[in-house]
Amino acid sequence: MSNTLKSVIVGTAGHIDHGKSSLIEALTGTHPDRLEEEKRRGITIDLGFAFLEEGGVRFGFVDVPGHERFVKNMLAGTSGVDLVLLVIAADEAIKPQTREHFDICRLLGVKRGVIAITKTDLVDRDSAGLVRLELEEFVKGSFLEGAPILAVSARTGDGLAALKQALQDEARKIAEKQTDRYFRLPVDRSFAVKGFGTVVTGTLISGKVAVADEVELLPEKKLLRVRGVQTGGKTVERADAGQRTAVNLSGIEHTNVQRGMVIAAPGRFAKTRRIDARMELLATARKIKHRVRVHFHAGTAESVAEILLPDKAELLPGESALVQLRLVDDVVVVRGDRFIVRQFSPVITIGGGEVLDPLARRPSRKDSGRGKFLETLERGSREEILPAMVERNFLGLGIADIVSRTAWMEPEVLAAAQNLARAGTIRVVANDPLRLLSEALFQEISKKLLARVEGFHKENPLLPGIPREELRASVGRRVRAETFRAALEELAKQNKVVTQGELVKKPGTEITLTPEEARAKEQIEQAFAKTGLAVPSVKEVLAQLAMENRRAEKILQILLREKVLVRVSPELLFHRDALARLPGLLQSYKKTNCERIGVPAFKELTGITRKYAIPLLEYLDRQRLTRRMGDERVIL
Ligand SMILES: Nc1nc2c(ncn2[C@@H]2O[C@H](COP(=O)(O)OP(=O)(O)OP(=O)(O)O)[C@@H](O)[C@H]2O)c(=O)[nH]1
Ligand SMILES: [Mg+2]
């Protein structure tokens, strides 16, 4: 099984014409230059590839151009390499792109490498020795300090065996890649193969991809099917992280896939144009100011970008800072991805760094927690980052928000979330799909809901409870449905509220009526409504109900508390509609007669007897619709 071999990606680096491509050919038998123009001009323009299986390692070589005009192609090839093969011609020693490529490798976080001093057939031993000393000095303090330095010649084959051995030794030190990660492959080429259709290639930087998988093309968000997979030029069922991979895709023209796009596990990654990052400015660069325009490169993608310096006016050579990158085009990156920044014009590499928050928000003075948050993203553990992320989002965070920022696996997020929930830091408001909220915010929302339920009961003593939607509206649209549901469930679990169908209420505020009671309530109301002001006695009304007196009394109380019936005197109740007609009657009397009215005139006006007239007038006095003056009332 060829899959048991360790896969290692080796990228070349070095100045133009220093012999990179020749060395790859000498090592693998494949000349990596494939374009007509490359052959004609004798230089590498775009990325070239070659493979070698040796000593239990499957090497995938990415050969890059040394020409300063093609550094952007070099960048697309270098992201994802495990090992750099830094090539220096013995007759020229360190040149500008030796330095630039070396800087790029360092900024991209390449961890290991082998240095080849080539074309040794052109110089004497002493010169080669001087170049070696110069190189040792050059890489001091960097990831290449102590790396093997081999003197070789592609022409004579001198030193090639030792170089292969050194590559194997370094390859062995590279950590095995985890394949249980979400699949991600930044595309570096797309072309059509007769009889197969679209084929895209790239370095598989994360996870795995197999025949028949569904993948998502980003940033377009187009779902595609994998028809076939190749690694190292061989057809395979599956390709794993760390392999040069070609994927045959159905459902798309090759012209619709370009370098810089990403194929990935569907729904796991997101495109962005606003990235918070830690950026280092090279010591050799000029200082940069807030909002400087640059070229941004990450993976195989590039975009013009603006660098925002939220907490400083300028960034000095050799300094590093928390910056925000505003891109012109969409890219797909996650926390921890490396990037390179090149000066807008003339185009040279000036710095690079590490993505902290790929879905950043606009920096603002009000956002005082930003710096601390980014530092947590930079250095924190998952258990520290997760609550920090959750706290910054009033709406809480869904699993997709978390994964697309961090590329953490869903089970990892779940496990961390559960630990944090147990510790009382965050609240899991929904499990499937997972949604998290800060515990403090959750408590605040619960408190508001409870207060609203209590307030509702006070305002509406006779309504059984507040409708869910009304309760939901009371906390605003910034509270998501899942959060509302979870808070309500929690309150119910604590027995602080009771939910009953669409209603929410405090426990112990039972006033639900049976159908029989509801009918009785209707009958009582009718008895008063139809008699106008000449109301029957309460006793009489209740006696007519087919219901024991105590229950009937209770229903009467409900009507009184709902203010359908109004107690005018200890004995007399009136329907509110009948009472509502009185002010109008009095006002028209005042207009057509006089502003004073006596008991007889009132009796005549309303058509009622003295038995009702006196209590009603006293009620009107209390309501300040009339004022008693001797035997008469002044209509107010
Ligand atoms: N004498 C001698 N010439 C070499 C050796 N290696 C490469 N050359 C020659 O140097 C020239 C450049 O070699 P390439 O391999 O194309 O150099 P490169 O670094 O790939 O160049 P770019 O890709 O354009 O940056 C060619 O003419 C090679 O034949 C060597 O070991 N000895
Ligand atoms: Mg070349």
Coordinates of all heavy atoms in Angstrom, one line a residue, residues 371-449:
G371 N -8.1 44.1 21.5 CA -6.7 43.7 21.6 C -6.6 42.4 22.5 O -5.9 41.5 22.1
K372 N -7.3 42.4 23.6 CA -7.3 41.2 24.5 C -7.8 40.0 23.8 O -7.2 38.9 23.9 CB -8.1 41.5 25.7 CG -7.8 40.6 26.8 CD -8.2 41.2 28.2 CE -8.1 40.1 29.3 NZ -9.2 39.1 29.2
F373 N -8.9 40.2 23.0 CA -9.5 39.1 22.3 C -8.5 38.5 21.3 O -8.3 37.3 21.2 CB -10.7 39.5 21.6 CG -11.4 38.5 20.7 CD1 -11.8 37.3 21.2 CD2 -11.5 38.8 19.3 CE1 -12.4 36.4 20.4 CE2 -12.1 37.8 18.5 CZ -12.5 36.6 19.0
L374 N -7.8 39.4 20.6 CA -6.9 38.9 19.6 C -5.7 38.2 20.2 O -5.1 37.2 19.7 CB -6.4 40.0 18.7 CG -7.5 40.6 17.8 CD1 -6.9 41.7 16.9 CD2 -8.1 39.5 16.9
E375 N -5.2 38.7 21.4 CA -4.2 38.0 22.1 C -4.6 36.6 22.5 O -3.8 35.7 22.5 CB -3.7 38.9 23.2 CG -2.6 39.8 22.7 CD -2.4 41.0 23.7 OE1 -2.7 40.9 24.9 OE2 -1.9 42.1 23.1
T376 N -5.8 36.5 23.0 CA -6.3 35.2 23.3 C -6.3 34.2 22.1 O -5.9 33.1 22.2 CB -7.7 35.3 23.9 OG1 -7.7 36.2 25.0 CG2 -8.3 33.9 24.4
L377 N -6.8 34.8 21.0 CA -6.8 34.0 19.7 C -5.3 33.5 19.4 O -5.1 32.5 18.9 CB -7.3 34.8 18.6 CG -8.8 34.9 18.5 CD1 -9.2 35.8 17.4 CD2 -9.4 33.5 18.3
E378 N -4.4 34.4 19.7 CA -3.0 34.2 19.3 C -2.4 33.1 20.2 O -1.7 32.2 19.7 CB -2.2 35.5 19.4 CG -0.9 35.4 18.8 CD -0.2 36.8 18.8 OE1 -0.7 37.7 19.4 OE2 0.9 36.9 18.1
R379 N -2.6 33.2 21.5 CA -1.9 32.4 22.4 C -2.7 31.4 23.2 O -2.2 30.5 23.8 CB -1.1 33.2 23.4 CG 0.2 33.8 22.8 CD 1.0 34.5 23.8 NE 0.5 35.8 24.1 CZ 0.9 36.9 23.4 NH1 1.8 36.7 22.4 NH2 0.5 38.1 23.7
G380 N -4.0 31.6 23.2 CA -4.9 30.8 24.1 C -5.1 29.4 23.7 O -4.9 29.0 22.5
S381 N -5.6 28.6 24.6 CA -6.0 27.2 24.3 C -7.4 27.2 23.8 O -8.1 28.3 23.9 CB -5.9 26.4 25.6 OG -6.9 26.9 26.5
R382 N -7.9 26.1 23.3 CA -9.2 26.0 22.9 C -10.2 26.4 23.9 O -11.2 27.2 23.7 CB -9.5 24.6 22.4 CG -10.8 24.5 21.6 CD -11.0 23.1 21.1 NE -10.0 22.9 20.0 CZ -9.4 21.7 19.8 NH1 -9.7 20.7 20.5 NH2 -8.5 21.6 18.9
E383 N -10.0 26.0 25.2 CA -10.9 26.3 26.3 C -10.8 27.8 26.7 O -11.7 28.3 27.4 CB -10.5 25.5 27.5 CG -11.5 24.3 27.7 CD -11.1 23.1 26.9 OE1 -10.1 23.2 26.2 OE2 -11.8 22.1 27.0
E384 N -9.8 28.5 26.2 CA -9.8 30.0 26.5 C -10.3 30.7 25.3 O -11.0 31.8 25.5 CB -8.3 30.4 26.7 CG -7.8 29.9 28.0 CD -6.2 30.0 28.1 OE1 -5.6 30.1 27.1 OE2 -5.7 29.9 29.2
I385 N -10.1 30.2 24.1 CA -10.5 30.9 22.9 C -12.0 30.8 22.7 O -12.7 31.8 22.4 CB -9.8 30.3 21.6 CG1 -8.3 30.7 21.7 CG2 -10.5 30.8 20.4 CD1 -7.5 30.0 20.7
L386 N -12.6 29.7 23.0 CA -14.0 29.5 22.7 C -14.9 30.5 23.5 O -15.7 31.2 23.0 CB -14.4 28.0 23.0 CG -15.7 27.5 22.5 CD1 -15.8 27.8 21.0 CD2 -15.9 26.0 22.7
P387 N -14.7 30.6 24.9 CA -15.5 31.5 25.6 C -15.2 33.0 25.2 O -16.2 33.8 25.1 CB -15.1 31.3 27.1 CG -13.9 30.5 27.1 CD -13.8 29.8 25.8
A388 N -14.0 33.3 24.8 CA -13.7 34.6 24.4 C -14.4 35.0 23.1 O -15.0 36.1 22.9 CB -12.2 34.8 24.1
M389 N -14.5 34.0 22.2 CA -15.2 34.2 20.9 C -16.7 34.3 21.2 O -17.4 35.2 20.6 CB -15.0 33.0 20.0 CG -14.0 33.2 19.0 SD -13.5 31.9 17.9 CE -14.5 30.6 18.0
V390 N -17.2 33.5 22.1 CA -18.7 33.5 22.4 C -19.1 34.8 23.1 O -20.1 35.4 22.8 CB -19.0 32.3 23.3 CG1 -20.4 32.4 23.9 CG2 -18.9 31.0 22.5
E391 N -18.2 35.3 24.0 CA -18.5 36.5 24.7 C -18.6 37.7 23.8 O -19.4 38.7 24.1 CB -17.4 36.8 25.7 CG -17.9 36.8 27.1 CD -16.8 36.4 28.1 OE1 -15.8 37.2 28.1 OE2 -16.9 35.4 28.8
R392 N -17.9 37.7 22.7 CA -17.9 38.9 21.8 C -19.2 38.9 20.9 O -19.3 39.8 20.0 CB -16.7 38.9 20.9 CG -15.5 39.6 21.6 CD -14.3 39.5 20.8 NE -14.3 40.4 19.7 CZ -14.1 41.8 19.8 NH1 -13.9 42.3 21.0 NH2 -14.0 42.5 18.7
N393 N -20.0 37.9 21.0 CA -21.2 37.9 20.1 C -22.5 37.8 20.9 O -22.8 36.8 21.5 CB -21.1 36.6 19.2 CG -20.1 36.9 18.1 OD1 -20.4 37.5 17.1 ND2 -18.8 36.5 18.4
F394 N -23.2 38.9 20.8 CA -24.5 39.0 21.5 C -25.4 38.0 21.1 O -26.2 37.5 21.9 CB -25.1 40.4 21.3 CG -26.2 40.8 22.2 CD1 -25.9 41.3 23.5 CD2 -27.5 40.5 21.9 CE1 -26.9 41.6 24.4 CE2 -28.5 40.8 22.8 CZ -28.2 41.4 24.0
L395 N -25.4 37.6 19.9 CA -26.3 36.5 19.4 C -25.8 35.1 19.7 O -26.5 34.2 19.4 CB -26.4 36.7 17.9 CG -27.2 37.9 17.4 CD1 -27.1 38.0 15.9 CD2 -28.7 37.8 17.8
G396 N -24.6 35.1 20.3 CA -24.0 33.7 20.5 C -23.4 33.3 19.2 O -23.4 34.0 18.2
L397 N -22.8 32.1 19.2 CA -22.1 31.6 18.1 C -22.6 30.2 17.7 O -22.8 29.4 18.6 CB -20.6 31.4 18.4 CG -19.7 32.6 18.3 CD1 -18.3 32.3 18.5 CD2 -19.9 33.3 16.9
G398 N -22.8 30.0 16.4 CA -23.2 28.6 16.0 C -22.0 27.8 15.6 O -20.9 28.4 15.5
I399 N -22.1 26.5 15.5 CA -21.0 25.7 15.2 C -20.3 26.1 13.9 O -19.1 26.1 13.8 CB -21.5 24.2 15.1 CG1 -20.3 23.3 14.9 CG2 -22.5 23.9 14.1 CD1 -19.4 23.1 16.1
A400 N -21.1 26.5 12.9 CA -20.5 26.9 11.6 C -19.6 28.1 11.8 O -18.5 28.2 11.2 CB -21.6 27.2 10.6
D401 N -20.0 29.1 12.7 CA -19.2 30.3 12.9 C -17.8 29.9 13.5 O -16.8 30.5 13.3 CB -19.9 31.2 13.9 CG -21.3 31.6 13.5 OD1 -21.4 31.9 12.3 OD2 -22.2 31.6 14.3
I402 N -17.9 28.9 14.4 CA -16.7 28.5 15.1 C -15.7 27.7 14.2 O -14.6 28.0 14.1 CB -17.1 27.7 16.4 CG1 -17.9 28.5 17.3 CG2 -15.8 27.2 17.1 CD1 -18.6 27.7 18.4
V403 N -16.3 26.8 13.5 CA -15.5 25.9 12.6 C -14.9 26.8 11.5 O -13.7 26.6 11.2 CB -16.3 24.8 12.0 CG1 -15.5 24.0 10.9 CG2 -16.7 23.8 13.1
S404 N -15.6 27.7 10.9 CA -15.1 28.4 9.8 C -14.0 29.4 10.2 O -13.2 29.9 9.4 CB -16.2 29.1 9.0 OG -16.9 30.0 9.8
R405 N -14.0 29.7 11.5 CA -12.9 30.6 12.0 C -11.6 29.8 12.4 O -10.5 30.3 12.2 CB -13.3 31.3 13.3 CG -14.3 32.5 13.0 CD -14.6 33.2 14.3 NE -15.2 34.5 14.1 CZ -16.4 34.8 13.9 NH1 -17.3 33.8 13.8 NH2 -16.8 36.0 13.7
T406 N -11.9 28.6 12.9 CA -10.7 27.9 13.5 C -10.3 26.6 12.8 O -9.3 26.1 13.1 CB -11.1 27.5 15.0 OG1 -12.3 26.7 14.9 CG2 -11.4 28.7 15.8
A407 N -11.3 26.0 12.0 CA -11.1 24.7 11.4 C -11.0 23.6 12.5 O -10.6 22.5 12.2 CB -9.9 24.6 10.5
W408 N -11.5 23.9 13.7 CA -11.6 22.8 14.7 C -12.7 21.9 14.2 O -13.7 22.3 13.6 CB -12.0 23.4 16.1 CG -11.0 24.3 16.7 CD1 -9.6 24.2 16.5 CD2 -11.2 25.3 17.7 NE1 -9.0 25.2 17.2 CE2 -9.9 25.8 18.0 CE3 -12.3 25.8 18.3 CZ2 -9.8 26.9 18.9 CZ3 -12.2 26.8 19.2 CH2 -10.9 27.3 19.5
M409 N -12.5 20.6 14.6 CA -13.5 19.6 14.3 C -14.7 19.8 15.2 O -14.5 20.1 16.4 CB -12.9 18.2 14.4 CG -11.7 17.9 13.6 SD -12.1 18.0 11.8 CE -13.0 16.5 11.6
E410 N -15.9 19.5 14.7 CA -17.1 19.6 15.5 C -17.0 18.9 16.8 O -17.4 19.5 17.8 CB -18.3 19.2 14.6 CG -19.6 19.8 15.1 CD -20.8 19.6 14.2 OE1 -20.5 19.8 13.0 OE2 -21.9 19.4 14.7
P411 N -16.6 17.6 16.8 CA -16.5 17.0 18.1 C -15.6 17.7 19.1 O -15.8 17.6 20.3 CB -16.0 15.6 17.8 CG -16.3 15.4 16.3 CD -16.2 16.7 15.7
E412 N -14.5 18.3 18.6 CA -13.6 19.0 19.5 C -14.3 20.2 20.1 O -14.2 20.5 21.3 CB -12.4 19.5 18.7 CG -11.5 18.4 18.2 CD -10.4 19.0 17.2 OE1 -10.6 20.1 16.7 OE2 -9.5 18.2 17.0
V413 N -15.1 20.9 19.3 CA -15.8 22.1 19.8 C -16.8 21.7 20.8 O -16.9 22.3 21.9 CB -16.5 22.8 18.6 CG1 -17.3 24.0 19.1 CG2 -15.5 23.3 17.6
L414 N -17.5 20.6 20.5 CA -18.5 20.1 21.4 C -18.0 19.7 22.7 O -18.5 20.1 23.8 CB -19.1 18.8 20.7 CG -20.6 18.6 21.0 CD1 -21.4 19.6 20.3 CD2 -20.9 17.2 20.5
A415 N -16.8 19.0 22.7 CA -16.2 18.6 24.0 C -15.8 19.8 24.8 O -16.1 19.9 26.0 CB -15.0 17.7 23.7
A416 N -15.2 20.8 24.1 CA -14.7 22.0 24.8 C -15.9 22.7 25.4 O -15.9 23.2 26.5 CB -13.9 22.9 23.9
A417 N -17.0 22.8 24.6 CA -18.2 23.5 25.0 C -18.8 22.9 26.2 O -19.2 23.6 27.2 CB -19.2 23.6 23.8
Q418 N -18.8 21.6 26.2 CA -19.4 20.9 27.4 C -18.6 21.1 28.7 O -19.2 21.4 29.7 CB -19.6 19.4 27.1 CG -20.8 19.1 26.3 CD -20.8 17.8 25.6 OE1 -19.8 17.1 25.6 NE2 -21.9 17.5 24.9
N419 N -17.3 21.1 28.5 CA -16.4 21.4 29.7 C -16.7 22.8 30.2 O -16.8 23.0 31.4 CB -14.9 21.3 29.3 CG -14.5 19.9 29.1 OD1 -15.1 19.0 29.6 ND2 -13.4 19.7 28.4
L420 N -16.8 23.7 29.3 CA -17.0 25.1 29.7 C -18.4 25.3 30.2 O -18.6 26.2 31.1 CB -16.8 26.0 28.5 CG -15.3 26.1 28.0 CD1 -15.2 26.6 26.6 CD2 -14.5 27.0 28.9
A421 N -19.4 24.6 29.7 CA -20.7 24.7 30.2 C -20.8 24.2 31.7 O -21.4 24.8 32.5 CB -21.7 23.9 29.3
R422 N -20.1 23.1 31.9 CA -20.0 22.5 33.3 C -19.4 23.5 34.2 O -19.8 23.6 35.4 CB -19.2 21.2 33.3 CG -20.1 20.0 33.2 CD -19.4 18.7 33.5 NE -18.3 18.5 32.6 CZ -18.5 17.8 31.4 NH1 -19.7 17.4 31.1 NH2 -17.4 17.6 30.6
A423 N -18.4 24.2 33.7 CA -17.7 25.2 34.6 C -18.5 26.5 34.7 O -18.1 27.4 35.4 CB -16.3 25.5 34.0
G424 N -19.6 26.6 34.0 CA -20.5 27.7 34.1 C -20.0 29.0 33.4 O -20.4 30.1 33.7
T425 N -19.1 28.8 32.4 CA -18.6 29.9 31.6 C -19.5 30.2 30.4 O -19.8 31.3 30.0 CB -17.2 29.6 31.0 OG1 -16.5 28.9 32.0 CG2 -16.5 30.8 30.7
I426 N -19.9 29.1 29.7 CA -20.8 29.3 28.5 C -22.0 28.5 28.6 O -22.0 27.5 29.4 CB -20.1 29.1 27.2 CG1 -19.6 27.6 27.1 CG2 -18.9 30.0 27.0 CD1 -19.0 27.3 25.7
R427 N -23.0 28.8 27.9 CA -24.3 28.1 27.9 C -24.5 27.5 26.5 O -24.3 28.1 25.5 CB -25.4 29.1 28.2 CG -26.8 28.6 28.1 CD -27.1 27.6 29.1 NE -27.0 28.0 30.5 CZ -27.7 27.5 31.5 NH1 -28.6 26.6 31.3 NH2 -27.4 27.9 32.7
V428 N -24.8 26.2 26.5 CA -25.2 25.5 25.2 C -26.7 25.8 25.1 O -27.5 25.2 25.8 CB -24.9 24.0 25.3 CG1 -25.3 23.3 24.0 CG2 -23.4 23.8 25.6
V429 N -27.0 26.7 24.1 CA -28.5 27.0 24.0 C -29.1 26.0 23.0 O -30.4 25.9 23.0 CB -28.7 28.4 23.6 CG1 -28.4 29.4 24.7 CG2 -28.0 28.8 22.3
A430 N -28.3 25.4 22.2 CA -28.9 24.3 21.3 C -27.8 23.3 21.0 O -26.6 23.7 21.0 CB -29.4 25.0 20.0
N431 N -28.2 22.1 20.8 CA -27.2 21.0 20.6 C -27.1 20.7 19.2 O -26.0 20.3 18.7 CB -27.6 19.8 21.4 CG -26.9 19.8 22.7 OD1 -25.6 19.9 22.7 ND2 -27.6 19.8 23.8
D432 N -28.2 20.7 18.4 CA -28.1 20.2 17.0 C -28.9 21.1 16.1 O -30.1 21.0 16.0 CB -28.7 18.8 17.0 CG -28.3 18.1 15.7 OD1 -27.3 18.6 15.1 OD2 -28.9 17.1 15.4
P433 N -28.2 22.1 15.4 CA -26.8 22.3 15.5 C -26.4 23.1 16.8 O -27.2 23.9 17.3 CB -26.5 23.2 14.3 CG -27.8 23.9 14.0 CD -28.9 22.9 14.5
L434 N -25.2 22.9 17.2 CA -24.7 23.6 18.4 C -24.7 25.1 18.3 O -24.3 25.7 17.3 CB -23.2 23.1 18.6 CG -22.6 23.5 19.9 CD1 -23.1 22.7 21.1 CD2 -21.1 23.4 19.8
R435 N -25.2 25.7 19.4 CA -25.2 27.2 19.5 C -24.8 27.5 20.9 O -25.4 27.0 21.8 CB -26.5 27.8 19.1 CG -26.5 29.3 19.3 CD -27.6 30.0 18.4 NE -27.1 30.1 17.0 CZ -26.3 31.1 16.6 NH1 -25.9 32.0 17.4 NH2 -26.0 31.1 15.3
L436 N -23.8 28.4 21.0 CA -23.3 28.8 22.3 C -23.5 30.3 22.6 O -23.5 31.1 21.8 CB -21.8 28.5 22.4 CG -21.4 27.1 22.0 CD1 -19.8 27.0 21.9 CD2 -21.9 26.1 23.0
L437 N -23.7 30.5 23.9 CA -23.9 31.9 24.4 C -23.1 32.1 25.7 O -22.9 31.1 26.4 CB -25.4 32.1 24.6 CG -25.8 33.6 24.8 CD1 -25.8 34.3 23.4 CD2 -27.3 33.6 25.3
S438 N -22.7 33.3 26.0 CA -22.0 33.5 27.2 C -23.0 33.3 28.4 O -24.2 33.7 28.2 CB -21.3 34.8 27.3 OG -22.1 35.8 28.0
E439 N -22.5 32.6 29.4 CA -23.4 32.3 30.5 C -24.0 33.6 31.1 O -25.2 33.7 31.5 CB -22.7 31.5 31.6 CG -23.6 31.1 32.8 CD -24.7 30.2 32.5 OE1 -24.7 29.5 31.4 OE2 -25.7 30.2 33.3
A440 N -23.2 34.7 31.2 CA -23.6 35.9 31.8 C -24.8 36.5 31.0 O -25.8 37.0 31.6 CB -22.4 36.9 31.8
L441 N -24.6 36.5 29.7 CA -25.7 37.0 28.8 C -26.9 36.2 28.9 O -28.1 36.7 29.0 CB -25.2 37.0 27.4 CG -25.9 37.8 26.4 CD1 -26.0 39.2 26.9 CD2 -25.2 37.8 25.0
F442 N -26.8 34.9 29.0 CA -27.9 34.0 29.2 C -28.7 34.3 30.4 O -29.9 34.4 30.4 CB -27.4 32.5 29.2 CG -28.5 31.5 29.2 CD1 -29.2 31.2 28.0 CD2 -28.9 30.9 30.4 CE1 -30.2 30.2 28.1 CE2 -29.9 30.0 30.4 CZ -30.6 29.7 29.3
Q443 N -27.9 34.5 31.5 CA -28.6 34.9 32.8 C -29.4 36.2 32.7 O -30.4 36.3 33.2 CB -27.6 34.9 33.9 CG -26.9 33.6 34.3 CD -28.0 32.6 34.7 OE1 -29.1 32.9 35.1 NE2 -27.6 31.3 34.5
E444 N -28.7 37.1 32.0 CA -29.3 38.4 31.8 C -30.7 38.3 31.1 O -31.7 38.9 31.5 CB -28.4 39.3 31.0 CG -28.6 40.8 31.2 CD -27.5 41.5 30.3 OE1 -26.3 41.3 30.6 OE2 -27.9 42.1 29.3
I445 N -30.6 37.5 30.0 CA -31.9 37.3 29.2 C -32.9 36.6 30.0 O -34.1 37.0 30.0 CB -31.5 36.5 27.9 CG1 -30.7 37.4 27.0 CG2 -32.8 36.1 27.2 CD1 -30.0 36.6 25.9
S446 N -32.5 35.6 30.8 CA -33.5 34.8 31.6 C -34.1 35.8 32.6 O -35.4 35.7 32.9 CB -32.8 33.7 32.4 OG -32.2 32.8 31.5
K447 N -33.3 36.7 33.2 CA -33.8 37.6 34.2 C -34.9 38.5 33.6 O -35.9 38.8 34.2 CB -32.7 38.4 34.8 CG -32.8 38.6 36.3 CD -31.7 39.6 36.8 CE -30.5 38.8 37.4 NZ -29.4 39.7 37.6
K448 N -34.6 39.0 32.4 CA -35.5 39.9 31.7 C -36.8 39.2 31.4 O -37.9 39.7 31.5 CB -34.9 40.3 30.4 CG -34.1 41.6 30.4 CD -33.8 42.1 29.1 CE -32.6 43.1 29.1 NZ -31.9 43.1 27.9
L449 N -36.7 37.9 31.0 CA -37.9 37.2 30.7 C -38.8 37.0 31.9 O -40.0 37.2 31.8 CB -37.5 35.8 30.1 CG -36.9 35.8 28.7 CD1 -36.5 34.4 28.2 CD2 -37.9 36.4 27.7

